[in-house]
């Protein structure tokens, strides 16, 4: 009897017996993440979830950093974010996370905009509004380096992306760092000038869908469904046909612009429309080198957690090798599911 009871408890408590069938992912407005809106509203996510006998709820969060905070707190199973924010928020918070989909890198979508000045050097002595300690902060640091300045030469003012446009319209704000579609909106305002953008740092601001590593390990069908839905949507939106234009029109309107505006944002985004394109970056030395730079910046700004002794405190696993601690890996670039998509195994 005791053996039967023990066996029953084992079955009840084992991960396979407790396999989940319902999940939530979140995303925020950005040109490279808008496809989740189409995949959700057009039933593509539901179709792939049904294929694997699960349910996936796709939720839009208007505040980017808040979406990552909610993921880190366990309210979502996966969330869209950049490589740096994946390191400094969930990974630094102890949440082991995996880059399930490497969707693109910013190739001009992130930018520094000055009001009334056309030269980056004019930023010296100014207050700069940005989402503090985000990739915008990282881009600012990289830009300042390029003209012999440092963060000591400016004053950073933390500003939510949800408030950025409204803040810029005020008389006392003259410099912002942000991302599209906000860049396009702000740059279109009178006497506004983009003085530096992420095209100068190719491959350094990577946009991803990040998933809880433990959740993925216990529920591989979630990874398969999400990747399958993503690449089906990529094929639809990248088609140079009237149907493809209709998808991009939907994405443009959903992000507050139109087809021309959205296509302009895509032009400054290195989208990976196929899994093979995503794998080419993910499996390259570029990701390792980029994450080393990002980790060093993050450590210098105290973003790797209290008591982090060096930039390698948090291990970052990439196909090219692990940067930092091999016993404290909390961020992983795992190409497994993108490979499945490339090989037609989903």
């Amino acid at each position: 009897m005791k053996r039967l009871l023990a066996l029953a408890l084992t079955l009840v408590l084992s991960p396979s017996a407790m396999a989940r069938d319902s999940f939530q992912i979140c995303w925020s407005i950005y040109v490279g993440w808008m496809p989740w809106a189409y995949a959700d509203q057009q039933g593509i996510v539901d179709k792939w979830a049904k294929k694997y006998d699960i349910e996936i709820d796709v939720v839009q969060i208007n505040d980017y950093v808040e979406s990552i905070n909610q993921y880190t707190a366990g309210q979502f199973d996966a969330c869209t974010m950049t490589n740096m924010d994946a390191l400094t928020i969930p990974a630094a918070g102890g949440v082991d996370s995996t880059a399930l989909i490497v969707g693109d890198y910013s190739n001009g979508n992130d930018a520094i905009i000055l009001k009334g000045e056309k030269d980056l050097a004019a930023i010296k002595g100014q207050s700069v509004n940005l989402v503090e300690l985000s990739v915008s902060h990282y881009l600012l640091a990289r830009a300042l380096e390029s003209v012999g300045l440092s963060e000591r030469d400016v004053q950073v003012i933390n500003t939510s992306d949800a408030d950025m446009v409204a803040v810029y319209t005020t008389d006392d704000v003259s410099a912002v760092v942000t991302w599209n579609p906000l860049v396009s909106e702000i740059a279109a305002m009178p006497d506004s000038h983009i003085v530096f953008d992420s095209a100068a740092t190719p491959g350094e601001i990577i946009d991803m869908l990040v998933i809880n590593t433990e959740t993925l390990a216990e529920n591989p069908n979630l990874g398969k469904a999400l990747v399958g839905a993503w690449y089906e949507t990529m094929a639809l939106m990248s088609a140079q046909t009237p149907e493809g234009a209709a998808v991009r029109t939907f994405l443009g309107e959903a992000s507050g612009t139109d087809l021309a505006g959205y296509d302009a944002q895509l032009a400054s985004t290195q989208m990976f429309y196929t899994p093979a394109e995503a794998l080419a970056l993910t499996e390259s030395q570029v990701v390792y080198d980029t994450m080393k730079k990002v980790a060093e910046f993050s450590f210098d700004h105290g973003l790797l957690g209290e008591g982090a002794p060096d930039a390698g405190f948090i291990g970052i696993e990439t196909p090219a090798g692990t940067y930092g601690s091999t016993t404290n890996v909390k961020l992983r670039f795992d190409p497994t599911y993108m490979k499945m998509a490339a090989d037609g195994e989903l």
Side-chain angles (χ1 to χ4, degrees):
M1 185 66 181
K2 287 182 179 178
R3 288 182 180 177
L4 289 174
L5 180 59
L7 177 60
L9 286 171
T10 300
L11 291 172
V12 169
L13 297 176
S14 67
S16 59
M18 295 177 66
R20 293 167 54 194
D21 58 9
S22 181
F23 305 90
Q24 280 196 315
I25 74 166
C26 62
W27 65 279
S28 56
I29 289 181
Y30 171 69
V31 57
W33 297 327
M34 293 310 302
W36 286 114
Y38 185 86
D40 177 35
Q41 294 186 34
Q42 298 301 311
I44 297 173
V45 171
D46 286 343
K47 182 185 82 173
W48 280 87
K50 185 177 181 180
K51 176 177 179 177
Y52 291 103
D53 200 26
I54 59 176
E55 293 182 0
I56 302 173
D57 187 21
V58 180
V59 180
Q60 179 187 339
I61 306 290
N62 288 328
D63 186 301
Y64 168 62
V65 172
E66 179 59 23
S67 71
I68 307 174
N69 288 337
Q70 290 187 32
Y71 161 79
T72 303
Q75 296 176 40
F76 290 93
D77 299 294
C79 180
T80 55
M81 65 188 80
T82 67
N83 52 321
M84 177 180 159
D85 297 320
L87 174 65
T88 61
I89 303 179
V95 178
D96 193 327
S97 298
T98 294
L100 178 70
I101 299 170
V102 174
D104 68 84
Y105 68 75
S106 178
N107 198 29
N109 266 322
D110 295 74
I112 299 173
I113 304 171
L114 298 185
K115 189 183 293 180
E117 299 286 353
K118 298 181 179 180
D119 188 83
L120 174 60
I123 202 171
K124 184 175 182 179
Q126 293 198 42
S127 296
V128 183
N129 292 74
L130 51 74
V131 178
E132 193 172 13
L133 308 179
S134 72
V135 290
S136 292
H137 202 154
Y138 174 78
L139 186 71
L140 173 65
R142 296 283 280 124
L144 292 171
E145 287 175 9
S146 73
V147 290
L149 299 175
S150 73
E151 288 184 59
R152 292 188 296 274
D153 295 305
V154 299
Q155 180 183 356
V156 169
I157 298 178
N158 188 33
T159 307
S160 167
D161 57 305
D163 300 327
M164 197 68 70
V165 174
V167 165
Y168 184 79
T169 61
T170 63
D171 293 338
D172 57 345
V173 172
S174 58
V176 298
V177 189
T178 189
W179 53 81
N180 266 321
L182 306 179
V183 166
S184 296
E185 189 171 351
I186 293 172
M189 295 181 185
D191 207 18
S192 299
H193 308 281
I194 294 175
V195 295
F196 189 89
D197 65 36
S198 53
T201 58
E204 292 187 31
I205 299 177
I206 306 171
D207 303 304
M208 317 183 298
L209 179 70
V210 172
I211 190 168
N212 182 285
T213 301
E214 183 179 357
T215 299
L216 179 61
E218 294 179 352
N219 303 275
N221 283 343
L222 173 62
K224 294 175 183 178
L226 289 171
V227 171
W230 177 258
Y231 286 115
E232 178 175 335
T233 306
M234 288 295 98
L236 293 171
M237 69 174 283
S238 63
Q240 298 304 307
T241 62
E243 291 77 14
V247 176
R248 297 193 302 279
T249 298
F250 174 99
L251 299 175
E253 291 174 351
S255 60
T257 183
D258 54 17
L259 175 60
Y262 189 72
D263 279 346
Q265 291 175 35
L266 284 175
S268 55
T269 310
Q270 184 60 57
M271 292 293 297
F272 302 131
Y273 290 114
T274 68
E277 292 170 338
L279 288 167
L281 177 70
T282 306
E283 297 181 328
S284 72
Q285 185 69 28
V286 171
V287 170
Y288 180 96
D289 294 343
T290 289
M291 292 312 301
K292 180 177 182 293
K293 291 177 188 174
V294 168
E296 290 169 349
F297 170 88
S298 302
F299 175 70
D300 290 342
H301 288 76
L303 302 180
L304 298 184
E306 211 171 301
D310 54 47
F313 175 64
I314 297 172
I316 305 167
E317 186 179 271
T318 80
T322 297
Y323 173 76
S325 173
T326 56
T327 59
N328 187 37
V329 174
K330 295 297 181 185
L331 180 59
R332 306 165 193 271
F333 288 78
D334 183 355
T336 298
Y337 291 83
M338 291 182 287
K339 281 182 177 178
M340 288 182 184
D343 294 339
E345 296 176 352
L346 296 180

